[in-house]
Amino acid sequence: MLLNSCVGRFVNLQLSVCSSIKGSLQSGSTISWVRNFQTTSCLHKVVVARPKKTKRRTNPVTYEEIHPPHFIAVRKGFNSLNTSNLLAGTRSGETAIEDMFIRKFIEGTWHRLLLGKLIIKRRANLIILSGFFHQSLAPSKFYFLQGYTEEILAYVLKCPVKMEIMTCSDRKALVVTHV
Amino acid sequence: MSKLVTKIPLLVNQTKPVVNVGFNRFMHHEKGELTQIKIPKRIPRDKTDILKALSSTVGTDPTAAHFKFIDDPYLIPNNRYHKLVYSLSKESGRKAAKYFMKEFPQFFIRDEAEPKVEAFHFKELYDESMDLNEEDLLTAIKNHQIDNAITAFKVIKAAGNTITDATKISLLEIVCFFNSLEAPDTDLREKFVSERPADSIWVSDFAFEVFDSLSVKDGRAYSVMIAGLCKHSAIERALQLHDAVKENNLSLTVEGYNALILAAIRGQSFENRWSIIMQVISEMNGHKIPPNLETFANIFEILARCKSTGEVRDKARGLMAEMKRCNIEPSLSVYNNLLRIFANGNNARPRIIEEILNELGNKKLSMRHEKDDFFFSNAMSICNSLSDIQLAYKLHSLVSSHQNYLLLGSTEFEFRYYNNLFKLIVKSESIDKTMEAYYKFVPNIYVPDSSTFIELIEAIELYQADRYIPQVCSDFLLLEYYIAPENITKFLNILSRKEYPKEIQEHVNNTVLDIMRVIQSKTSQKNASELANFDVTIFDNSLKILSNNKDLNKIRNVLSLLRQLKNSINGPLSLQTMRNLVDMAIELESGKDIVEIVKTTVAFDDVSVLSRVVHLCKKNNASQNLLDRLEEIITKNGIVLQDYSDESSESSESSDSSSESSDDDKAQSGKSTEK
Amino acid sequence: MNLSRFCVSNAASFHEDEDYERMPFLPQPKKPARPKRAAIYRNVMPPRYLQMATNQNWNDVWPAAKSFNPSSVPLPVFMGWLKGQPRLGKFNNPELVKIPNFFHLTPPNIKKQCMALKKFCSPWPEGLETDEKIEKHFPVEIVTRDYCHASPTIRDPRARTITMRFKLSQLELDDHSRDKIIRLLGKRYNPLNDLVTIETSSCPFKKQNIDYAFYLLTVVYYESWKTESWEELKEPQDWERFFFEKSSSRKKILDFLKTVDINAETKKEDIKEYEEAIKDIVDNQENDETVDAYGRSVAKLLFSQVK
């Protein structure tokens, strides 16, 4: 389908290779790469961060997942808030990497408990992690994990870390629709 | 970004020239006008003064739990046990993290913080092989790292370098105080763990090593050693040192003498102890060392531990006068010991607490002695024993003013304080005032223990304050009093005594069902066999309560649960309740329930109810279906029916006879059953 | 290939004796479901905003910045939009948690905190009520900058820059030194508001930069009072403004008056007018007005009769 609907202009008319086929050259042939350009927009379909659609709408999605990225700052908020990406902000790369590390760490330590995504806020030196967790553990275990996480992340990142925990009794609490 | 604009003045106003570059245009023109501009001095403040000022604007939030708990409905502790467990779990999590930090420091080396935060760093352990000097020793002492300090000392000694006497003495102080062991991780543990730590025992003689290496053994060094040895129960060695001191005619510091006074506990009788104390005091006088608060507090401590006789009390009175003369204000531990001497047990002078409270008024108190936190709980328990509510309120206003609640001490003391206060309120005040206090304290500040809670319910019953029943019912579940089956028994006993108005009765019924559900969930867990047995009155009362509502569904649930738990139930079924239920079932023409009831009674090895039912059914021409089912039960369990033809004699309990006849009347007037 | 493989059924197979694996085409009988863990009866308190009094002290509940917590905020807030669905409430709503809230900065909270901090503030000095007075007594201004980021470090290389500002009129200068200092300061002097701005960032520390700025000021000041030998080489093109006394114009006019035998004294006002006109042209702009004025003054000078 793609092959048929693509229209391209070729500089070298000797070749009849469509621009969307990459590679798969026959052995031994010496085809030179020809520069060309597309004039249709059909291939420019944005598919980033859209949840997979199922036939019978069985895929549960949260508010965050149903809204694609162009809705950030319109209908969605930012999951990590810090000054690193402002004009003249510093340390944006390191902050991003640290955020990734924190997310992976929390997902592993609080296994199957985190609903939705973790929210990371930075206030000067302090890192504040907020998240929704499921009530499948006894409360004393929650406290154990909180104490452990705060302490060990502080040792790793050398900043004080605070966790704000909110619990839900229903695993589907954050699901808003099915896709 | 924050921009700071500073203005620099002219030379005229400064003794030290700030700007001496031709800025003098105005000096000769307007000398008269140029008054001295006095810039007020900067108000000095500590590092945390601003935080303290801001925190002084914040009061207590009445609906919130302590700030260390997570503010989520699922995670807020409901009762004392939870409060303890949650904070200890958090501490335990922290310890787990510290373990990782200690064992695997290579994973925590990435450090981009500037300036470096010491708290998040790996704590360096000195090694014998390291090259250490006096500075390292001083750093270790400053950071309370005993092991490091000991290693540093040994290394420096081995290398043959000298250490100043001052350093040695500070090393001695820290080693004696902590008993040569690493400083324990206090944090929350002290506030929450209720057991008193056992008396520490002198562990290692490293302190003696340091002591011997001192070039000049002055009074201070001896004092430190003696105080340490006394603190860690090595009294004989302390006394040996003391002899050495006396020989050399040295003067100990006041801390040394205080320790010796406290060591007077070794004398078995009051006379011995007092004579020891007097010796120490005379020595103090001889060397002109003035006593301080700790001196008096220690003497009071010894007196309080002696058996309270007239002599002891005289001495105590004399001491108070001495204290006033020395202009030392007594701390709470002193007052506590006064209470122990005069008011506890013997009640020689019970109103002393009133005098003490008058003295204290609503003063701002602070922790001046390590045993100050004993005072409030002790005082409140005395108020309770005197049954004086006004005194209790006075004490409570003292606790509530300024930040004196910090002196309530560990959770055990805090609990005792509030428990006594609340018990007293329940005893003395009207129910409305009691519930006011209840709403204020429970559950964040204080959760009553089971007996107090039952007292409260009894008070509500006494005052017939039905409007508080729903609150009490929901709290019974929320605060998890159902953990102990005795509580359930007592609770249901009280609730079943009376029939409440409709809305309240609904709450009560719901509570009963929740209790049943709790029992069910408890028994369905794996270790059901380890559970305590339930008293049968729980079920009796539940059935009684539910029968008021005539909701047979719920009753059926209870009955099936009853059968299920047959093995864990103590005591015989109340046949009265069963009979009432039967009558109700007959009235409501529900054969199904009759069968259920009968099944239950049969499960409990009772034949009378079944017999009676059969008799009644036959009498009233019950449906064949019902009779068949009853037959089934009879044959299944191999029962021999009691003979009801002779009504007055066959009943097992004589008290049933009168009720039986009335039952019979009911049966005769009842309709024939269907189904 | 043995096609009989594909004719397998769960019922009695006519290939029982053959030794092969059955392919799972038909649905297998359902395995018994794993026994569900019994639900543990747990008490969850109702959210605490239900118990909050309406006249409570909000400062006690929310004293410092905190993420949104639905059970302790008594407001019915909603956040988020979905097509065709009712609006999303505050429970289980991460959007509300993401945004920063200012519950800790309600006006009464701010007032309370300010009142508590007042005791650390010393009063404004007397005698410095107006800006002019401040300028009179404190002529020099130093501007420093601090930077704060949401990061573990507090360092920022821009923090070492300092700016020193003062009005040139505050310095004691004569004509020569004023001229010289303006030349020395160059771009740092703004003639419109007479402000000298010295910005230094060459030293690593702020304090060092401040000292350096003062050093520069000192040097520039004392240098401006010195007269170097090469300053005599100053030519009319270098003059900062038109000095009529030194100019060739004046010489020419006086020479001319001499040649036409007119006493310069009588023509004083005309010469003055001429001086003004030529100053106007050279110092300020050369436009129609100034040129006209110049012309008129020249005419007066040259062609008006002296009695």
Side-chain angles (χ1 to χ4, degrees):
Chain A
M1 196 175 84
L2 282 168
L3 299 171
N4 294 338
S5 51
C6 162
V7 178
R9 301 260 185 259
F10 299 94
V11 173
N12 188 347
L13 288 170
Q14 281 176 10
L15 285 177
S16 53
V17 176
C18 188
S19 64
S20 62
I21 297 180
K22 297 200 171 168
S24 68
L25 297 171
Q26 288 170 358
S27 57
S29 62
T30 52
I31 295 176
S32 57
W33 241 140
V34 169
R35 292 210 46 189
N36 47 41
F37 62 92
Q38 254 153 231
T39 54
T40 50
S41 61
C42 57
L43 287 178
H44 294 177
K45 195 169 159 187
V46 181
V47 294
V48 68
R50 270 112 177 121
K52 179 172 181 181
K53 290 216 172 111
T54 53
K55 226 189 209 175
R56 297 186 199 287
R57 304 190 84 210
T58 53
N59 187 13
V61 282
T62 62
Y63 183 88
E64 234 182 279
E65 289 166 2
I66 191 81
H67 285 104
H70 64 267
F71 279 120
I72 295 178
V74 179
R75 287 191 210 158
K76 274 209 294 196
F78 286 97
N79 280 354
S80 81
L81 290 171
N82 50 56
T83 63
S84 64
N85 287 316
L86 300 175
L87 178 69
T90 56
R91 248 182 131 251
S92 60
E94 291 93 328
T95 310
I97 296 287
E98 277 177 11
D99 278 359
M100 282 167 61
F101 169 78
I102 293 172
R103 282 180 210 282
K104 275 219 174 326
F105 182 86
I106 297 290
E107 201 174 318
T109 314
W110 301 73
H111 183 61
R112 281 199 85 214
L113 292 170
L114 187 63
L115 313 165
K117 295 231 155 81
L118 193 70
I119 297 161
I120 304 179
K121 294 188 187 176
R122 279 183 170 75
R123 209 174 284 148
N125 199 7
L126 177 64
I127 302 178
I128 300 165
L129 312 172
S130 316
F132 284 91
F133 297 89
H134 184 244
Q135 287 172 4
S136 48
L137 281 188
S140 55
K141 298 212 169 93
F142 267 96
Y143 281 94
F144 174 86
L145 284 176
Q146 187 203 30
Y148 167 75
T149 314
E150 286 184 356
E151 192 81 4
I152 211 163
L153 280 179
Y155 287 142
V156 172
L157 302 167
K158 309 294 183 207
C159 300
V161 174
K162 291 245 173 312
M163 274 200 85
E164 286 174 5
I165 293 172
M166 276 159 285
T167 55
C168 325
S169 54
D170 178 21
R171 226 171 246 287
K172 307 270 186 257
L174 263 56
V175 170
V176 293
T177 183
H178 292 257
V179 143
Chain B
M1 168 183 96
S2 79
K3 201 166 94 164
L4 177 69
V5 177
T6 332
K7 302 273 190 185
I8 313 288
L10 297 178
L11 173 63
V12 130
N13 291 319
Q14 304 284 327
T15 49
K16 175 181 153 189
V18 177
V19 180
N20 51 6
V21 176
F23 280 95
N24 53 8
R25 210 179 87 177
F26 291 100
M27 282 171 72
H28 45 276
H29 287 298
E30 301 145 50
K31 219 171 194 164
E33 194 194 293
L34 198 69
T35 48
Q36 292 280 330
I37 300 290
K38 278 215 186 88
I39 304 176
K41 279 217 159 99
R42 178 177 184 271
I43 296 176
R45 53 179 196 248
D46 268 342
K47 285 184 192 173
T48 52
D49 269 355
I50 291 197
L51 286 174
K52 282 190 194 151
L54 289 178
S55 76
S56 68
T57 64
V58 180
T60 45
D61 182 2
T63 53
H66 196 271
F67 59 79
K68 72 167 116 11
F69 298 119
I70 304 173
D71 195 7
D72 181 76
Y74 179 66
L75 298 170
I76 292 181
N78 289 338
N79 56 30
R80 208 155 57 109
Y81 171 71
H82 282 325
K83 282 183 192 165
L84 185 65
V85 167
Y86 293 172
S87 33
L88 285 179
S89 342
K90 193 163 181 183
E91 273 309 296
S92 144
R94 291 216 186 105
K95 283 220 163 67
K98 284 188 184 138
Y99 166 79
F100 280 112
M101 179 64 162
K102 212 165 119 194
E103 293 293 309
F104 307 105
Q106 65 267 28
F107 296 133
F108 299 95
I109 43 178
R110 172 187 177 273
D111 186 3
E112 292 193 13
E114 187 62 48
K116 305 282 177 220
V117 183
E118 283 296 326
F120 300 141
H121 275 228
F122 169 66
K123 303 235 182 317
E124 198 186 353
L125 263 185
Y126 291 169
D127 205 32
E128 304 273 313
S129 56
M130 287 167 78
D131 191 16
L132 301 167
N133 56 17
E134 192 168 337
E135 251 181 58
D136 296 320
L137 177 58
L138 281 170
T139 330
I141 293 174
K142 192 172 118 183
N143 293 334
H144 297 282
Q145 294 164 347
I146 314 290
D147 290 336
N148 281 354
I150 294 178
T151 323
F153 181 81
K154 289 193 178 141
V155 164
I156 298 174
K157 258 307 220 18
N161 297 330
T162 53
I163 311 175
T164 56
D165 266 1
T167 318
K168 280 191 192 160
I169 289 195
S170 44
L171 175 62
L172 200 61
E173 279 177 352
I174 202 175
V175 165
C176 287
F177 186 81
F178 286 114
N179 196 13
S180 321
L181 300 168
E182 197 62 31
D185 206 5
T186 46
D187 283 3
L188 295 173
R189 193 142 180 101
E190 269 190 3
K191 173 131 171 80
F192 282 94
V193 174
S194 43
E195 76 255 5
R196 282 264 114 192
D199 282 334
S200 55
I201 302 174
W202 186 254
V203 162
S204 97
D205 279 344
F206 176 72
F208 277 103
E209 218 182 288
V210 179
F211 184 65
D212 292 330
S213 76
L214 277 174
S215 51
V216 170
K217 296 192 180 57
D218 63 342
R220 180 152 172 234
Y222 272 107
S223 309
V224 171
M225 287 299 293
I226 289 174
L229 287 164
C230 287
K231 183 177 177 191
H232 302 296
S233 328
I235 298 188
E236 281 82 40
R237 299 174 80 172
L239 291 177
Q240 283 171 11
L241 280 178
H242 189 211
D243 290 334
V245 166
K246 277 194 274 199
E247 268 172 45
N248 299 338
N249 207 17
L250 288 171
S251 155
L252 291 177
T253 61
V254 70
E255 282 88 27
Y257 288 121
N258 289 344
L260 286 171
I261 289 173
L262 206 54
I265 197 72
R266 67 181 180 284
Q268 295 307 316
S269 71
F270 163 67
E271 286 80 24
N272 282 350
R273 290 173 181 168
W274 190 252
S275 65
I276 297 171
I277 292 176
M278 279 294 112
Q279 281 172 20
V280 176
I281 301 268
S282 60
E283 217 181 294
M284 272 177 91
N285 283 337
H287 291 287
K288 301 263 188 288
I289 308 279
N292 66 1
L293 171 66
E294 181 110 7
T295 322
F296 284 106
N298 286 350
I299 304 179
F300 268 110
E301 180 76 27
I302 303 284
L303 283 179
R305 286 168 81 168
C306 299
K307 190 145 171 265
S308 180
T309 60
E311 241 192 294
V312 171
R313 282 179 242 139
D314 284 333
K315 299 282 185 238
R317 254 178 245 127
L319 266 179
M320 282 303 289
E322 268 293 326
M323 239 178 136
K324 285 220 170 66
R325 234 182 298 149
C326 293
N327 255 336
I328 300 176
E329 188 168 324
S331 75
L332 288 182
S333 60
V334 169
Y335 288 127
N336 184 37
N337 286 325
L338 278 180
L339 289 178
R340 282 164 80 186
I341 296 170
F342 285 98
N344 261 356
N346 52 50
N347 272 333
R349 198 167 129 194
R351 302 314 291 182
I352 189 162
I353 182 153
E354 202 168 354
E355 294 169 34
I356 294 175
L357 284 178
N358 283 335
E359 179 91 26
L360 286 172
N362 271 357
K363 239 191 276 192
K364 183 174 160 86
L365 299 166
S366 59
M367 194 88 169
R368 291 160 67 208
H369 184 81
E370 59 180 357
K371 297 216 168 133
D372 276 358
D373 50 359
F374 287 52
F375 172 69
F376 283 123
S377 63
N378 219 1
M380 188 51 87
S381 57
I382 290 177
C383 290
N384 193 11
S385 63
L386 292 174
S387 298
D388 191 340
I389 188 75
Q390 295 309 320
L391 215 53
Y393 280 147
K394 211 166 172 183
L395 180 60
H396 192 61
S397 73
L398 173 61
V399 169
S400 322
S401 57
H402 307 282
Q403 293 201 315
N404 294 344
Y405 62 83
L406 294 171
L407 289 160
L408 276 175
S410 71
T411 27
E412 194 201 333
F413 291 141
E414 207 178 316
F415 173 73
R416 260 203 281 150
Y417 173 84
Y418 278 109
N419 208 23
N420 281 314
L421 176 60
F422 192 66
K423 271 199 163 92
L424 192 53
I425 292 176
V426 169
K427 263 195 288 188
S428 343
E429 293 277 7
S430 73
I431 193 65
D432 285 324
K433 276 247 146 107
T434 312
M435 290 311 283
E436 219 181 277
Y438 181 81
Y439 286 132
K440 203 161 86 169
F441 294 145
V442 177
N444 293 316
I445 298 181
Y446 153 72
V447 171
D449 65 356
S450 323
S451 55
T452 322
F453 192 71
I454 301 290
E455 274 176 41
L456 175 68
I457 305 176
E458 281 168 359
I460 292 178
E461 198 198 357
L462 189 68
Y463 282 92
Q464 298 193 338
D466 296 337
R467 57 192 177 284
Y468 295 120
I469 291 283
Q471 173 73 37
V472 154
C473 284
S474 70
D475 277 348
F476 183 82
L477 295 166
L478 212 56
L479 304 175
E480 300 199 358
Y481 288 111
Y482 52 72
I483 289 184
E486 310 90 57
N487 294 343
I488 307 181
T489 319
K490 289 188 198 149
F491 182 61
L492 288 177
N493 264 341
I494 299 172
L495 282 185
S496 63
R497 280 188 217 152
K498 127 175 193 182
E499 185 167 345
Y500 297 100
K502 197 162 170 219
E503 311 90 44
I504 296 175
Q505 187 65 39
E506 217 177 289
H507 282 280
V508 175
N509 291 349
N510 287 336
T511 316
V512 167
L513 290 170
D514 282 334
I515 292 176
M516 290 296 129
R517 202 179 346 145
V518 161
I519 294 178
Q520 191 165 33
S521 77
K522 268 215 266 184
T523 49
S524 67
Q525 283 173 29
K526 286 182 221 167
N527 49 358
S529 53
E530 295 162 9
L531 287 175
N533 290 337
F534 296 103
D535 204 13
V536 75
T537 48
I538 294 174
F539 294 95
D540 285 335
N541 288 325
S542 321
L543 290 168
K544 200 166 158 199
I545 292 169
L546 288 173
S547 63
N548 288 336
N549 204 23
K550 300 202 194 318
D551 191 339
L552 289 170
N553 272 332
K554 298 182 180 153
I555 291 178
R556 235 174 288 146
N557 289 339
V558 176
L559 288 171
S560 65
L561 186 60
L562 194 55
R563 280 202 302 279
Q564 203 181 327
L565 295 177
K566 195 182 79 136
N567 293 327
S568 355
I569 293 184
N570 290 336
L573 265 188
S574 154
L575 298 171
Q576 183 61 35
T577 325
M578 287 296 151
R579 289 207 188 99
N580 289 341
L581 283 178
V582 167
D583 293 333
M584 197 172 80
I586 292 173
E587 218 178 289
L588 293 173
E589 302 176 20
S590 168
K592 197 155 77 166
D593 291 300
I594 293 179
V595 171
E596 288 285 318
I597 296 166
V598 160
K599 270 197 210 162
T600 318
T601 51
V602 161
F604 278 85
D605 302 325
D606 178 71
V607 180
S608 60
V609 174
L610 174 55
S611 316
R612 190 165 150 268
V613 164
V614 166
H615 177 72
L616 285 172
C617 289
K618 288 202 181 123
K619 234 181 174 173
N620 297 321
N621 303 327
S623 70
Q624 193 53 40
N625 198 354
L626 176 59
L627 287 170
D628 283 340
R629 286 218 251 149
L630 291 174
E631 271 302 315
E632 250 178 71
I633 296 172
I634 293 169
T635 46
K636 197 158 120 185
N637 295 314
I639 294 172
V640 174
L641 284 182
Q642 284 173 352
D643 197 3
Y644 264 75
S645 49
D646 195 2
E647 283 158 19
S648 53
S649 57
E650 294 299 338
S651 53
S652 42
E653 286 158 64
S654 53
S655 57
D656 293 338
S657 53
S658 50
S659 54
E660 199 171 44
S661 42
S662 61
D663 291 346
D664 223 26
D665 290 336
K666 262 196 198 166
Q668 281 178 346
S669 57
K671 310 153 203 159
S672 58
T673 49
E674 275 301 309
K675 245 186 193 170
Chain C
M1 285 174 68
N2 189 1
L3 288 173
S4 59
R5 270 180 178 242
F6 299 100
C7 311
V8 156
S9 70
N10 271 350
S13 163
F14 42 84
H15 293 283
E16 260 172 36
D17 49 339
E18 290 196 31
D19 192 14
Y20 60 87
E21 259 178 52
R22 285 201 173 188
M23 290 192 108
F25 282 131
L26 298 177
Q28 305 288 342
K30 262 198 171 169
K31 286 190 202 147
R34 207 200 294 185
K36 261 193 174 173
R37 215 198 290 185
I40 302 172
Y41 185 71
R42 286 226 184 94
N43 286 303
V44 180
M45 295 173 105
R48 68 184 177 100
Y49 71 88
L50 297 168
Q51 296 156 29
M52 287 182 175
T54 44
N55 58 355
Q56 73 179 343
N57 212 344
W58 181 246
N59 192 23
D60 298 342
V61 184
W62 214 277
K66 250 196 316 187
S67 295
F68 183 82
N69 188 350
S71 57
S72 31
V73 173
L75 305 169
V77 283
F78 302 87
M79 179 83 160
W81 182 86
L82 284 164
K83 186 170 176 184
Q85 285 202 23
R87 48 191 186 162
L88 303 166
K90 60 177 177 172
F91 284 100
N92 306 327
N93 195 343
E95 299 303 315
L96 271 170
V97 181
K98 288 178 194 173
I99 54 166
N101 63 61
F102 295 98
F103 291 128
H104 57 291
L105 293 177
T106 59
N109 281 16
I110 296 177
K111 195 167 185 185
K112 249 192 221 169
Q113 293 186 354
C114 289
M115 298 306 287
L117 291 178
K118 262 206 165 121
K119 61 176 188 245
F120 296 113
C121 304
S122 46
W124 188 255
E126 289 174 2
L128 289 179
E129 284 76 37
T130 58
D131 275 341
E132 291 84 33
K133 285 193 186 166
I134 295 175
E135 220 181 279
K136 187 169 85 176
H137 293 284
F138 296 86
V140 178
E141 207 178 72
I142 302 256
V143 180
T144 52
R145 287 173 169 82
D146 289 302
Y147 294 84
C148 173
H149 298 281
S151 82
T153 58
I154 57 171
R155 315 286 179 216
D156 190 305
R158 296 170 288 177
R160 63 172 202 275
T161 333
I162 63 114
T163 309
M164 184 170 84
R165 286 208 293 249
F166 59 91
K167 287 234 168 89
L168 195 60
S169 48
Q170 305 266 12
L171 284 176
E172 199 172 307
L173 297 163
D174 69 359
D175 275 339
H176 161 260
S177 53
R178 191 185 153 83
D179 171 49
K180 186 163 179 189
I181 204 173
I182 289 175
R183 286 178 202 267
L184 286 171
L185 289 172
K187 271 195 205 160
R188 294 174 190 77
Y189 174 69
N190 183 357
L192 291 174
N193 52 14
D194 198 30
L195 210 58
V196 178
T197 314
I198 297 181
E199 190 174 305
T200 44
S201 62
S202 34
C203 308
F205 291 138
K206 212 178 282 183
K207 190 157 190 310
Q208 293 172 343
N209 278 320
I210 295 174
D211 293 339
Y212 180 54
F214 275 113
Y215 162 74
L216 286 177
L217 167 62
T218 321
V219 163
V220 137
Y221 180 72
Y222 285 115
E223 281 299 314
S224 66
W225 277 97
K226 288 191 210 158
T227 312
E228 304 283 339
S229 51
W230 42 261
E231 287 185 42
E232 279 136 39
L233 303 174
K234 195 174 187 181
E235 291 188 22
Q237 294 99 300
D238 302 324
W239 290 345
E240 60 274 16
R241 58 173 204 275
F242 186 71
F243 293 105
F244 185 68
E245 305 79 40
K246 296 191 257 181
S247 69
S248 52
S249 258
R250 181 168 173 273
K251 200 153 166 283
K252 281 204 184 118
I253 287 182
L254 291 177
D255 285 345
F256 167 74
L257 289 176
K258 240 191 226 155
T259 45
V260 295
D261 277 329
I262 298 175
N263 197 349
E265 291 293 320
T266 52
K267 285 275 187 180
K268 231 186 183 171
E269 301 98 50
D270 293 337
I271 295 178
K272 195 96 195 177
E273 207 182 313
Y274 176 77
E275 183 185 333
E276 303 280 306
I278 199 169
K279 258 197 192 161
D280 208 10
I281 291 187
V282 177
D283 281 345
N284 303 337
Q285 217 183 24
E286 186 180 314
N287 56 21
D288 289 338
E289 290 162 19
T290 47
V291 172
D292 279 341
Y294 177 71
R296 267 182 267 124
S297 67
V298 166
K300 254 201 200 160
L301 203 62
L302 292 178
F303 304 122
S304 65
Q305 298 299 322
V306 179
K307 295 286 184 325

